[in-house]
Amino acid sequence: MKNITSAFFAALTGARDRGLVPRRFVWIKGKSFDTGVTNPIGLWTGDDDINITVVSGITGLPEVRTYYGGLNLQVSPIARTADLTIQTVTITIGQIAAVAQQLVRGYDLRLAPVEIHDMAFDTVTRQPSAAPEIAFLGITDGAPIKTPAVGQDGNVEISAISAAIAMLERTNPAKSSYEGQKRRSGDEFGLYSSTVANWQIPWGQK
């Protein structure tokens, strides 16, 4: 069960009477093609750029981050499951803005870390009802750019998958490889691993 702050919980439970102004924040860390340095870019579903304190999904510490708005940002629903299914989230942004071009053309987004935070604005003060809550932590799994025809709109769809679950499906070839084991102080545990499956043992016979 996800734990959220009391202020955010109050905003959600009071939505029926007071309304709700939800916002989403996307934080992507890509590597610059020019320097190879990792540079984060923040996007959010608001209209203007904003500086706001969020809790990092990696360190668990508060960080002041800059999020760019006015990008026609859309984030697909984030499923809440209790199994080991790899969750995929689609992040769609317009490709006209300079920050969008920098993100998808200036940075290498292969396996780039992605954080998505949820927040609600107070309907009266138009101020954040609470600090943004972490809703998704993952890595990018593709960022195709759709080039539109003349007179049509184009966008970028960044696909992100749950990092923790995706790592469970990674294979380690050195784990059962004799060549990999041999580098560990002469370990020959996997010496016959490639042929043992074909051995025929005549049980009960000489």
Side-chain angles (χ1 to χ4, degrees), residues 115-139:
E115 295 181 33
I116 300 177
H117 288 77
D118 284 337
M119 189 194 68
F121 274 103
D122 188 284
T123 55
V124 177
T125 64
R126 292 293 175 175
Q127 296 298 316
S129 59
E133 298 277 349
I134 186 71
F136 179 84
L137 187 62
I139 54 177

Side-chain angles (χ1 to χ4, degrees), residues 2-14 18 120 129-131 133:
K2 178 177 173 57
N3 294 322
I4 61 176
T5 62
S6 57
F8 189 54
F9 180 76
L12 296 178
T13 55
R18 298 189 298 270
S129 59
E133 298 277 349

Side-chain angles (χ1 to χ4, degrees), residues 71-130:
L71 301 173
N72 195 26
L73 173 66
Q74 298 178 9
V75 181
S76 65
I78 301 175
R80 310 294 185 187
T81 63
D83 55 19
L84 297 181
T85 303
I86 296 179
Q87 301 299 326
T88 301
V89 177
T90 301
I91 303 164
T92 305
I93 57 176
Q95 58 174 291
I96 297 178
V99 64
Q101 290 291 324
Q102 176 64 29
L103 177 64
V104 298
R105 300 185 188 275
Y107 292 162
D108 181 8
L109 297 183
R110 182 178 180 274
L111 301 180
V114 178
E115 295 181 33
I116 300 177
H117 288 77
D118 284 337
M119 189 194 68
F121 274 103
D122 188 284
T123 55
V124 177
T125 64
R126 292 293 175 175
Q127 296 298 316
S129 59

Side-chain angles (χ1 to χ4, degrees), residues 4-187:
I4 61 176
T5 62
S6 57
F8 189 54
F9 180 76
L12 296 178
T13 55
R16 180 185 297 272
D17 299 325
R18 298 189 298 270
L20 189 68
V21 185
R23 291 291 183 265
R24 273 196 164 157
F25 298 79
V26 177
W27 187 255
I28 303 177
K29 293 182 178 180
K31 290 184 178 180
S32 172
F33 284 119
D34 296 331
T35 63
V37 177
T38 300
N39 294 306
I41 286 185
L43 320 168
W44 79 301
T45 52
D47 296 327
D48 301 313
D49 301 345
I50 187 174
N51 293 323
I52 193 168
T53 301
V54 304
V55 176
S56 169
I58 302 296
T59 65
L61 301 175
E63 297 180 0
V64 178
R65 297 176 177 176
T66 299
Y67 290 88
Y68 297 96
L71 301 173
N72 195 26
L73 173 66
Q74 298 178 9
V75 181
S76 65
I78 301 175
R80 310 294 185 187
T81 63
D83 55 19
L84 297 181
T85 303
I86 296 179
Q87 301 299 326
T88 301
V89 177
T90 301
I91 303 164
T92 305
I93 57 176
Q95 58 174 291
I96 297 178
V99 64
Q101 290 291 324
Q102 176 64 29
L103 177 64
V104 298
R105 300 185 188 275
Y107 292 162
D108 181 8
L109 297 183
R110 182 178 180 274
L111 301 180
V114 178
E115 295 181 33
I116 300 177
H117 288 77
D118 284 337
M119 189 194 68
F121 274 103
D122 188 284
T123 55
V124 177
T125 64
R126 292 293 175 175
Q127 296 298 316
S129 59
E133 298 277 349
I134 186 71
F136 179 84
L137 187 62
I139 54 177
T140 58
D141 190 39
I145 302 174
K146 295 184 178 180
T147 302
V150 177
Q152 297 182 357
D153 296 330
N155 56 44
V156 180
E157 290 187 356
I158 301 175
S159 178
I161 59 176
S162 176
I165 304 302
M167 292 298 104
L168 296 178
E169 291 196 346
R170 296 184 62 183
T171 58
N172 182 7
K175 187 174 182 179
S176 59
S177 167
Y178 170 58
E179 294 300 323
Q181 296 280 357
K182 191 167 58 174
R183 291 193 296 268
R184 304 173 187 172
S185 302
D187 186 355

